[in-house]
Amino acid sequence: MAVTRERFESGMTYDEYKAQMNRNKEQFEANEHGVVVDPGDLAAFTGLPRPLNVLVLGEDWCGDVIANFPVIGRLAPDSGKLNLRCFLRDQHPDIMDQYLKDGRFRSIPVFVFFDDDMHEIGRFVERPDCVTALRDEKRKALSAEHPEFGLPDTPIAELPEDVRVKYQAAMAEIRAEMVAFANKAVIEELRAIVERGA
Amino acid sequence: MPPRTAKVTITYCAECGYEPMTLALAGALMNAFTHRLSAIELIPWYEGSFEVSVGGKLVHSMYRDGGFPEHQTIIDAVTAHLAGRDVPPPSQPE
């Protein structure tokens, strides 16, 4: 069942979403503050002939929401052309189930772009494929450099705690190093969606 | 000789909302085994992981087996471990 304008307008604004967050709010806001948008990318959104409606599905516990929602959260006010309305995934399963990843998984965040007549022009789900691929590549390289971390598919529980703590720190470092790349990838994917629909 | 006990380790993705499933499984095991458990270890991890090991042997992996395990599957694995038997094969995907 298509999302009606009425249903869309019932969603939370971006600020209302942030206000209701019970966890990870500090990290979310830090991520939002850290987003860098190239002038060329911003122009693609600012130059849209009409504002677009963007339905967002998210939850405050989800790592990909914390990483990627702030990106569109910055693009919206910076461009003045994205009207965001946010829904909590677990409270709106009927909406979520219209946008399953691969038709199966309730992956979030989801950003669904609609024109003014509420026709969908495109969607973003979870994270860009290139981010997943780079993350996998870096994890494999980490395992190669640190045999004590085991192979990428070694059960984590098999590692001694002190090794696991080092592995965890190394993974956090990889994530931190990838932020600029990941944010740019998200912006490019969103730009491709709006340019297709323009 | 003291009776055999079992250590269960649950590795769960801490950024995927898996806490309720993790705690529900831990609770089910506590109720089923009380002092026959030597420890339940909860390891927060990444990227969709949900793995359960009993006595150091992996009995369920979301990557390998798909989905979350039925509680009874893990209870059966702990029961087998306590009896000194081989742990049953992995659960079927949900």
Side-chain angles (χ1 to χ4, degrees), chain A residues 17 21 23-24 28 31 57-70 89 106-110 126-127 175, chain B residues 13-17 19:
Chain A
Y17 175 86
M21 288 179 73
R23 47 179 157 164
N24 298 311
F28 188 98
N31 291 349
L57 284 155
E59 291 282 356
D60 64 5
W61 42 255
C62 176
D64 284 305
V65 172
I66 295 158
N68 299 330
F69 192 3
R89 182 196 82 165
R106 290 182 166 180
S107 302
I108 50 175
V110 173
E126 192 175 47
R127 79 181 84 88
R175 294 277 185 100
Chain B
C13 176
E15 53 187 12
C16 302
E19 289 85 352

Side-chain angles (χ1 to χ4, degrees), chain A residues 180-195:
Chain A
F181 172 87
N183 285 351
K184 176 72 174 166
V186 171
I187 292 170
E188 284 178 353
E189 197 164 311
L190 300 184
R191 178 175 171 173
I193 292 170
V194 303
E195 285 178 340

Side-chain angles (χ1 to χ4, degrees), chain A residues 23 61-64 89 127 135-136 139 153-159 161 164-165 167-169 171-172 175, chain B residues 9-11 14-21 41-47 49 51 53 56-58 63 94:
Chain A
R23 47 179 157 164
W61 42 255
C62 176
D64 284 305
R89 182 196 82 165
R127 79 181 84 88
R135 214 183 257 183
D136 284 347
R139 194 169 62 248
D153 55 358
T154 299
I156 298 305
E158 288 183 10
L159 301 178
E161 186 174 336
R164 200 167 65 225
V165 168
Y167 191 179
Q168 198 167 25
M171 295 273 281
R175 294 277 185 100
Chain B
T9 304
I10 307 172
T11 306
E15 53 187 12
C16 302
Y18 290 173
E19 289 85 352
M21 298 77 162
E41 184 179 30
L42 305 182
I43 300 175
W45 202 247
Y46 300 93
E47 293 172 4
S49 55
E51 296 177 344
S53 297
K57 183 166 179 177
L58 185 69
Y63 299 143
E94 287 186 353

Side-chain angles (χ1 to χ4, degrees), chain A residues 1-75:
Chain A
M1 189 168 63
V3 174
T4 64
R5 181 181 305 280
E6 188 180 37
R7 187 71 185 280
F8 175 77
E9 294 290 351
S10 74
M12 291 180 277
T13 63
Y14 182 61
D15 286 341
E16 286 169 347
Y17 175 86
K18 287 196 289 182
Q20 61 79 48
M21 288 179 73
N22 287 318
R23 47 179 157 164
N24 298 311
K25 190 172 174 183
E26 213 172 282
Q27 183 62 57
F28 188 98
E29 289 179 334
N31 291 349
E32 182 186 328
H33 185 73
V35 173
V36 174
V37 186
D38 292 342
D41 287 330
L42 184 59
F45 293 89
T46 307
L48 288 170
R50 286 188 179 78
L52 296 175
N53 296 315
V54 186
L55 181 149
V56 177
L57 284 155
E59 291 282 356
D60 64 5
W61 42 255
C62 176
D64 284 305
V65 172
I66 295 158
N68 299 330
F69 192 3
V71 177
I72 198 169
R74 277 288 300 279
L75 283 172

